[in-house]
Amino acid sequence: MIFNIDARGHDLFPTVYALWKVPHLLPAFTLKGGEVSRYVIGGADLMFPGISIPPEGFPSFEAGQPWAVKVPGNPAPIAVGITTMSSTEALKAGLRGKALRIVHYYRDMLWDSADGRYVPNDGFFEDIVVEDPNFVSTSQSPDSTEETTEATEATHDSEDAAVGTSDTADPGIQCEATEEITNGVNELKLPEDKSTEQAPDEKEHQNLTTEEIDSLLDKCLLQALYTSIKEKELPMPGSTLWSNHILPCRPPGVTLDIKKSSHKKLSKWLQSKSSSGLISAKEDKYKKEVILLGINRKHPDYVAFKPEKRVQEPVEHEKAVAESSVTKQLEVAEIYKPSSHVKPIFVAVKADMEKYYSASEASDIVFRYVEKENLVKPTDKAKVILDVTLCDALYKGAIKKGTAYPTEIHKKDLGSTFLKRMQVHHIVIRGTQEVIRKGAIKTIQIMTERRQGNKKMTRLSGLECFLMDPDSLASELQKKFACSTTTAELPGKKGQYEVLVQGGVIDDLAKHLVDHYGVPKRYIEVYDKTKR
């Protein structure tokens, strides 16, 4: 029912078995469709493009938190994973990249190790095919049992062919078994999802007409243009505009759903606003997304609009964050500055050479250049032809003498190759402090070693990278662990200190840095030299 992945029992996770008993034990991402599930239950990590974004936007989450995965229309989770970044970092990245590192999924070795002993309803779930999002359902009508049985048999046949099983059971027996499984699924009583219950205000707004929803969308856009969107943030992906700016401007208790408007799609709505002259927007042919390029602040609708002044009450999660010490105030991200190699590309698209860019923003620059020069290969849309300027930007000085320069590059490699030619920096923000440093983000190192008399000593270094004061931390750890602590300057590294803590507190110390200082786990390295 519960498992851990570090063999120490510190990070505990509920199994898929447990989540079928208590589906709301973990927050869950819902996939865009059932087809994505076949990759998840094949062991692949979950990427943001495969997640269905709810109308109200993503809930707030931090890196390193356990989350479940569900398919649409199915209350039973299919996998458990760990978030790789916070919701803030995800939105800054344009909801691209890895969302969850999957640690356990339906029918993996952990599932099989239970040998059916903990499966709900006496093993009725053992042969469920997760690819069909409507199969595991608590609301299946008796009339649909026959259809479900046929669909299940067909799915099982295809699945057996895919995994190479050699089940030669009699078809009649198989049909009976499938019907038994289906009946067992129907009997499963999962706890009701209270989150789906509408509040009184929400019920009120569900009766809005299409015209009223269109009007509300326009009002939220103007409110966002006035209050939250800054010129330096442009160009901005449509998904970021929607989740970060439009949704926060909706009235309290309102669920804003673009599908219920006359436009039906976000891209069509933004293009209509671009046609009216309020904004400048263009569809990115490579990413299949509308990009907000500019704002016409002289437009009659913009001039006539009077923004509302709102005092937003923090949600429960934000209250908890505010009450904890300096915990979640830390923000760490890699950023990039244009180098001399890529200067011609930035000049060609009229991009700012003095600005720092995120990975996604930098990739947008090179794709804008490709679009401007029409470099997509006509016979293969997945490849880009390298003209002299782009070829020099990507490879000049990096190709050995005598080696021919490439003439084309795949789109999936273009962004990463372009980033390698820029100067890597990182930004660290803690409260009101903000520091930008050259180079990649360095990690905090925690090491436990033995001293004379078989005593243990734990060394902690790299705190300065995360704006943490070694002396203050040493005093704090002295009280927390009831042990002696000291600070010492690292040999040969002026201005860099390490904290020495008496005793083997390596695991507790790492947890303290995560819980009380908001340091992401991926930036903490642990070395235990006391173990053989």
Side-chain angles (χ1 to χ4, degrees):
M1 304 304 286
I2 301 292
F3 72 99
N4 76 91
I5 59 174
D6 63 355
R8 298 186 180 94
H10 294 145
D11 296 321
L12 299 177
F13 299 85
T15 63
V16 174
Y17 290 123
L19 290 175
W20 281 1
K21 285 287 191 181
V22 192
H24 312 303
L25 190 61
L26 289 182
F29 291 120
T30 301
L31 302 179
K32 282 186 176 178
E35 293 183 358
V36 183
S37 66
R38 72 180 64 222
Y39 299 103
V40 175
I41 63 173
D45 291 331
L46 178 61
M47 311 298 284
F48 277 109
I51 298 175
S52 175
I53 303 177
E56 65 275 11
F58 269 139
S60 180
F61 56 86
E62 297 296 328
Q65 289 183 340
W67 276 66
V69 181
K70 294 182 179 180
V71 292
N74 187 336
I78 64 169
V80 179
I82 305 172
T83 54
T84 61
M85 63 181 78
S86 67
S87 53
T88 304
E89 293 171 330
L91 291 171
K92 286 183 179 179
L95 295 180
R96 297 184 180 88
K98 187 184 297 183
L100 280 184
R101 180 169 65 87
I102 301 298
V103 295
H104 166 49
Y105 52 89
Y106 171 78
R107 280 187 172 176
D108 65 0
M109 293 182 69
L110 176 60
W111 171 283
D112 292 337
S113 69
D115 196 23
R117 285 171 293 184
Y118 304 120
V119 182
N121 288 314
D122 299 326
F124 285 130
F125 278 100
E126 190 172 356
D127 294 319
I128 283 175
V129 179
V130 186
E131 284 84 350
D132 182 357
N134 297 317
F135 184 74
V136 188
S137 175
T138 58
S139 58
Q140 193 175 36
S141 63
D143 296 336
S144 64
T145 303
E146 185 177 348
E147 295 179 5
T148 305
T149 302
E150 294 175 359
T152 305
E153 288 176 348
T155 311
H156 271 293
D157 290 341
S158 62
E159 184 186 21
D160 289 343
V163 299
T165 57
S166 58
D167 188 2
T168 57
D170 181 74
I173 298 175
Q174 185 177 1
C175 183
E176 292 177 7
T178 306
E179 185 173 356
E180 185 183 24
I181 292 168
T182 306
N183 293 335
V185 171
N186 293 332
E187 293 171 6
L188 177 66
K189 301 298 182 182
L190 296 177
E192 294 183 1
D193 187 357
K194 296 181 180 179
S195 63
T196 60
E197 297 177 3
Q198 293 179 342
D201 289 342
E202 290 182 350
K203 290 181 180 178
E204 218 177 285
H205 288 286
Q206 295 307 319
N207 298 323
L208 293 176
T209 63
T210 302
E211 292 75 14
E212 289 173 331
I213 293 176
D214 288 347
S215 176
L216 184 58
L217 281 171
D218 294 345
K219 183 178 179 181
C220 290
L221 175 60
L222 288 167
Q223 180 76 15
L225 296 180
Y226 257 99
T227 59
S228 64
I229 300 176
K230 301 176 182 177
E231 294 290 343
K232 65 179 182 180
E233 296 175 335
L234 302 178
M236 178 185 294
S239 57
T240 304
L241 171 66
W242 177 260
S243 56
N244 284 19
H245 302 280
I246 302 296
L247 289 178
C249 290
R250 68 190 189 278
V254 175
T255 300
L256 195 58
D257 190 351
I258 192 72
K259 294 179 181 178
K260 295 181 180 179
S261 70
S262 62
H263 306 281
K264 304 300 182 183
K265 293 183 179 181
L266 177 65
S267 57
K268 290 185 178 180
W269 176 55
L270 292 178
Q271 286 171 345
S272 70
K273 295 291 106 181
S274 180
S275 300
S276 69
L278 176 60
I279 60 174
S280 173
K282 188 176 182 181
E283 184 178 3
D284 189 321
K285 296 179 181 178
Y286 310 110
K287 299 180 181 179
K288 302 298 181 183
E289 183 177 12
V290 173
I291 307 296
L292 175 63
L293 302 176
I295 304 168
N296 181 8
R297 302 193 186 274
K298 295 181 180 180
H299 192 274
D301 290 348
Y302 185 91
V303 174
F305 182 74
K306 294 182 179 180
E308 297 179 2
K309 293 182 179 180
R310 297 179 184 174
V311 179
Q312 295 183 346
E313 295 183 2
V315 295
E316 292 300 321
H317 174 75
E318 293 173 339
K319 287 181 180 178
V321 169
E323 289 171 0
S324 60
S325 52
V326 287
T327 310
K328 308 301 180 185
Q329 296 180 11
L330 179 69
E331 288 186 38
V332 185
E334 282 195 347
I335 53 178
Y336 300 84
K337 190 174 183 181
S339 64
S340 57
H341 298 296
V342 299
K343 182 178 179 180
I345 303 296
F346 279 78
V347 172
V349 297
K350 298 180 180 179
D352 190 355
M353 281 287 293
E354 301 302 320
K355 178 184 172 182
Y356 291 96
Y357 295 84
S358 66
S360 60
E361 290 171 340
S363 297
D364 286 340
I365 297 295
V366 69
F367 276 105
R368 282 167 54 190
Y369 177 81
V370 169
E371 183 178 5
K372 178 178 179 291
E373 299 297 328
N374 195 22
L375 298 179
V376 177
K377 192 174 182 180
T379 57
D380 188 353
K381 299 295 184 181
K383 292 184 179 179
V384 173
I385 299 173
L386 299 178
D387 62 3
V388 176
T389 303
L390 184 55
C391 187
D392 285 348
L394 297 180
Y395 298 109
K396 188 176 182 179
I399 299 291
K400 293 182 180 179
K401 291 184 178 179
T403 305
Y405 279 81
T407 58
E408 59 185 38
I409 187 173
H410 200 285
K411 283 182 182 178
K412 68 178 182 180
D413 300 323
L414 179 58
S416 57
T417 306
F418 190 70
L419 287 176
K420 290 177 182 177
R421 302 287 282 179
M422 297 182 69
Q423 298 175 359
V424 182
H425 291 67
H426 64 276
I427 182 171
V428 182
I429 303 173
R430 183 183 292 282
T432 57
Q433 289 182 282
E434 180 178 320
V435 175
I436 295 177
R437 299 189 181 99
K438 194 172 182 178
I441 304 169
K442 296 181 180 179
T443 58
I444 290 179
Q445 295 189 345
I446 307 176
M447 181 174 63
T448 296
E449 58 187 13
R450 296 190 184 276
R451 292 292 181 90
Q452 294 179 350
N454 204 28
K455 294 182 179 179
K456 293 182 179 180
M457 176 70 73
T458 301
R459 309 164 73 100
L460 174 64
S461 59
L463 301 171
E464 295 84 2
C465 294
F466 296 87
L467 304 181
M468 298 165 62
D469 180 50
D471 292 326
S472 300
L473 181 61
S475 300
E476 181 183 336
L477 297 178
Q478 182 179 10
K479 297 176 183 177
K480 179 175 178 60
F481 299 123
C483 62
S484 63
T485 59
T486 58
T487 58
E489 189 171 17
L490 289 170
K493 297 182 179 180
K494 190 175 181 181
Q496 297 184 32
Y497 294 82
E498 67 175 352
V499 177
L500 305 177
V501 183
Q502 186 180 20
V505 295
I506 185 169
D507 296 323
D508 293 331
L509 183 51
K511 188 175 185 301
H512 183 71
L513 294 178
V514 173
D515 294 343
H516 294 273
Y517 285 90
V519 180
K521 289 183 180 180
R522 62 184 180 277
Y523 296 129
I524 299 178
E525 292 186 64
V526 176
Y527 304 96
D528 192 346
K529 290 190 174 182
T530 63
K531 293 183 179 180
R532 295 181 179 179

